[in-house]
Amino acid sequence: MKKSVLFFIVLACAVAVRAGYLADIQVHSDAMNKDVPVAVIFPDAYKAGDTRYPVIYVLHGAGGSYQTHSRAGHPIYSLVDQYGVIAVCPDGAKTSWWLDSPVDPTMKYETFAAKELVAYVDKTYRTLAQREKRGITGGSMGGHGACYLALRNKSVFGVVGNIYGGVDMRPFPNNWDIKLRLGTIQEHPEYWEQYSVITLAKDLKDGELSWLTMIGNKDFFLQVNRNLHQMLADNGVRHYYIEAQGAHTHEFAIEAFPVMFRFINTYFTEGRGHL
């Protein structure tokens, strides 16, 4: 389904009175033999009682860190409180692309984010430890990561939110260190094919994931997201696609997050993500 213009800003106008709070932690990765910094943002109500909460994993873009979405003033603080969810923001080593690199054995960020981190969070905090209460979202490289991890780990995540993600890496062979993760496209064209979201999504069946994409009409990832949207539509996969005024900017992502959290929350509460 295609929405347009500034529809998502209208949906984002609710104001939360309270705000969530932050814990900065280190989570050990056996796969990479190192500790990875992670920001965990809790709803205010988590402080008291024994309630268990759904979890939304939030992935940063290229050049970012676990602090990208946990800085003071980010809308996530009010959103976790508004919807009663925990947000988990892991570090992705600036340009990991959230995958297990086939050419660099030190980069195993799919294993970390989708397996080790999820296991740690569910063991350590009061979560609802099931795919129906677990979502993933992110922007740019993080949008790719959210889609990639959800597609490859459908038993872990039930709903995915893509904010201007790099869902097909092949048109960008010299950008954002992708060739350091996959090798050059000349040497390993097969990796560029198989690690791109648009390739994995060819096998997605209707109903396997709730899916929302949001992108600006001046974004450099616009065409690859349009291609993914069309492919899903042609394959009969129900999903939401919002193309609005905007570019690949921090401001666009800030306006998109309230809609993304609302969409993911409808999946948590109703079993189907919708706007």
Side-chain angles (χ1 to χ4, degrees):
M1 297 177 65
K2 182 174 179 178
K3 307 291 180 180
S4 60
V5 198
L6 299 180
F7 173 69
F8 66 88
I9 295 177
V10 176
L11 289 176
C13 64
V15 176
V17 176
R18 298 176 300 172
Y21 63 96
L22 171 69
D24 282 337
I25 62 172
Q26 299 278 329
V27 178
H28 185 73
S29 169
D30 289 337
M32 295 187 287
N33 192 30
K34 68 177 182 179
D35 292 339
V36 179
V38 178
V40 185
I41 305 172
F42 300 92
D44 188 68
Y46 188 90
K47 296 174 183 176
D50 57 2
T51 301
R52 292 187 172 272
Y53 294 86
V55 182
I56 301 176
Y57 289 80
V58 184
L59 309 183
H60 66 77
S65 76
Y66 74 105
Q67 296 177 318
T68 297
H69 303 303
S70 66
R71 293 187 177 93
H74 196 286
I76 284 181
Y77 284 91
S78 61
L79 292 168
V80 296
D81 215 68
Q82 181 178 350
Y83 293 114
V85 299
I86 297 170
V88 177
C89 309
D91 195 88
K94 296 192 182 298
T95 56
S96 69
W97 283 84
W98 301 104
L99 49 82
D100 287 359
S101 170
V103 299
D104 182 354
T106 70
M107 288 279 178
K108 295 188 179 296
Y109 279 88
E110 177 187 359
T111 295
F112 174 72
K115 296 179 174 63
E116 294 174 325
L117 179 59
V118 169
Y120 177 90
V121 168
D122 286 342
K123 180 181 178 180
T124 306
Y125 304 115
R126 298 196 313 271
T127 68
L128 293 166
Q130 59 207 70
R131 73 177 295 274
E132 292 81 8
K133 302 296 181 182
R134 199 181 289 124
I136 189 166
T137 187
S140 196
M141 180 186 83
H144 157 86
C147 298
Y148 179 82
L149 295 181
L151 286 165
R152 285 180 48 85
N153 300 273
K154 291 192 284 287
S155 65
V156 179
F157 305 104
V159 56
V160 57
N162 165 32
I163 303 173
Y164 53 50
V167 294
D168 187 349
M169 297 182 286
R170 294 169 297 181
F172 309 97
N174 297 307
N175 298 92
W176 313 295
D177 291 343
I178 305 174
K179 62 186 176 183
L180 298 182
R181 310 299 163 233
L182 301 179
T184 67
I185 198 168
Q186 293 81 14
E187 294 174 314
H188 294 290
E190 73 280 11
Y191 293 156
W192 289 73
E193 174 96 6
Q194 71 186 69
Y195 283 84
S196 282
V197 167
I198 197 165
T199 302
L200 291 170
K202 290 178 181 178
D203 296 325
L204 184 65
K205 303 294 189 296
D206 186 40
E208 286 188 308
L209 289 170
S210 280
W211 189 299
L212 168 61
T213 289
M214 303 174 67
I215 192 162
N217 63 350
K218 297 180 181 178
D219 197 297
F220 48 76
F221 284 144
L222 177 60
Q223 190 57 55
V224 295
N225 278 274
R226 283 179 172 174
N227 293 344
L228 176 62
H229 163 56
Q230 189 61 56
M231 186 188 75
L232 292 175
D234 290 345
N235 290 347
V237 177
R238 286 170 293 179
H239 64 288
Y240 285 83
Y241 177 83
I242 297 175
E243 187 177 307
Q245 296 288 337
H248 200 92
T249 64
H250 175 72
E251 290 74 21
F252 186 95
I254 290 296
E255 291 181 339
F257 268 107
V259 185
M260 202 58 74
F261 268 63
R262 180 185 183 277
F263 177 82
I264 292 172
N265 186 66
T266 62
Y267 173 80
F268 291 157
T269 58
E270 303 175 35
R272 181 181 70 88
H274 62 86
L275 297 174

